[in-house]
Amino acid sequence: MAKDRLITPSYCFILAANFLLYFGFWLLIPVLPFYLSEFFQAGNSTIGIVLSCYTVAALCIRPFSGYLLDTFARKPLYLFAYFIFMMMFGGYLIAGSLTLFIIFRIIHGVSFGMVTVGGNTVVIDIMPSSRRGEGLGYYGLTNNTAMSIGPMTGLFLHDAGADYTLIFCCSLGSCLIGFLCASLVKTTYKPPVKREPISLDRFILLKGIPAGFSLLLLSIPYGMTTNYVAMYAKQIGIQSSTGFFFTFMALGMAVSRLFSGR
C-alpha cells in the first residue's frame, strides 16, 4: 500500500520558515551576553535577568497560544507572531537603553512562544496523519540544523570583529526570508472548535503537570549552558571556536530525530 505523500510545497515552505526562524534565534544566543556586557556594561546577574525575560515571556504565553490557535484562523495568527518576532531584531538595533532592550526582549519572548506553537500546529494541519510522527521529526530537525550552524555563525561574526548591528541584521534578514516562506504555506480551512465556558483545564492539563515539571528541570541546565557557554569558554581561556559545542550537540539531537519520529 502506497504511503500518503508527505513532501509537498507547503511542507517544504514551512520547513524553510522554521529553519530560518530558529537560525535567526540561535545566531544571537551566544552573542547576546557579550553585547549586553560591552554595550550596556551589564554584570553577569543583570545579563541573566535580561536573558531570562525572554524565556519567562514565552512560557507565560504558551498556555494561551493553543486556545487562540483553536479559536481563530491559524495561519494568520502564525504569520502575525512570526512578523512580530522578526521585527524585534530590528527593535534591538534601536534600543538605546537597557530598559528598552528588556521591553523588546519580553515582546520577543511572547512572539516566540506564539510562533513556535503556531508553527507546530500548522505543520500538523498540512501533513497526512499517517506520517505525522515522521513529519514532525523532520520538522524538528530543522531546529537542530539551525542550532548546529546558527551559534557558530554568530560567534564567527563576533570573533571576526563584526559590528553587532551586522549580527542583528543577519538575524533580521533570516527571519524576513522565513516570513516570506511562511506566507506561501497553503493550509486547509479548520472550523472553529466549539468551546465550553472558560475553565482552568482549558489552559493547564492537570495530568500533564508531572511531565511538564520534568521538562522544566531538564530545561534549566540546558538554558544556562546554551546562554553562557561562549562567555564561559572565553573566561577559562579556550581559544577554539565554541560554536563547535552547538554543532556537535545539534548533530547528536539530529541523529536521534531521524529515527525517533518513525
Side-chain angles (χ1 to χ4, degrees), residues 44 46 49 59 62 66 71 79 85 124 134 136 149 164 169 173 191 194 216 240 256:
N44 287 341
T46 303
I49 293 172
L59 180 66
R62 276 185 167 159
T71 305
L79 290 177
F85 180 86
I124 288 174
E134 183 182 358
L136 287 174
I149 62 177
Y164 286 110
C169 286
K194 292 184 178 180
L216 172 66
S240 58
S256 69

Side-chain angles (χ1 to χ4, degrees), residues 10-21:
S10 289
Y11 183 71
C12 292
F13 280 131
I14 201 165
L15 290 184
N18 194 57
F19 167 77
L20 291 165
L21 180 141

Side-chain angles (χ1 to χ4, degrees), residues 137 140-141 144-145 248-260:
L141 186 60
N144 297 139
T145 306
F248 286 115
M249 182 167 68
L251 285 174
M253 296 172 68
V255 169
S256 69
R257 283 189 181 275
L258 286 174
F259 60 83
S260 61

Side-chain angles (χ1 to χ4, degrees), residues 66-230:
Y67 173 79
L68 293 173
L69 289 162
D70 283 340
T71 305
F72 302 101
R74 292 173 179 176
K75 183 181 174 182
L77 277 175
Y78 171 60
L79 290 177
F80 175 74
Y82 205 123
F83 179 79
I84 298 299
F85 180 86
M86 173 184 70
M87 293 307 297
M88 286 304 101
F89 291 112
Y92 294 155
L93 291 171
I94 63 172
S97 66
L98 187 59
T99 300
L100 186 57
F101 188 93
I102 291 173
I103 293 173
F104 285 141
R105 193 72 180 153
I106 293 172
I107 298 174
H108 211 179
V110 170
S111 61
F112 179 77
M114 190 70 184
V115 74
T116 48
V117 174
N120 292 341
T121 306
V122 171
V123 74
I124 288 174
D125 286 344
I126 64 175
M127 72 171 68
S129 58
S130 61
R131 303 186 69 180
R132 186 166 293 167
E134 183 182 358
L136 287 174
Y138 297 142
Y139 182 75
L141 186 60
T142 60
N143 178 9
N144 297 139
T145 306
M147 180 183 178
S148 68
I149 62 177
M152 178 178 289
T153 303
L155 288 169
F156 172 79
L157 292 171
H158 178 264
D159 294 341
D163 188 80
Y164 286 110
T165 300
L166 174 62
I167 299 176
F168 288 134
C169 286
C170 287
S171 291
L172 178 61
S174 174
C175 288
L176 176 59
I177 300 173
F179 179 77
L180 295 176
C181 291
S183 65
L184 296 174
V185 175
K186 294 181 179 180
T187 58
T188 56
Y189 173 74
K190 295 287 183 180
V193 179
K194 292 184 178 180
R195 295 296 187 183
E196 300 296 331
I198 292 178
S199 59
L200 180 63
D201 61 358
R202 177 73 50 78
F203 305 103
I204 300 175
L205 181 64
L206 298 180
K207 292 186 294 184
I209 289 178
F213 184 69
S214 175
L215 182 60
L216 172 66
L217 295 178
L218 175 68
S219 300
I220 288 173
Y222 174 79
M224 293 167 63
T225 303
T226 54
N227 277 299
Y228 285 106
V229 65

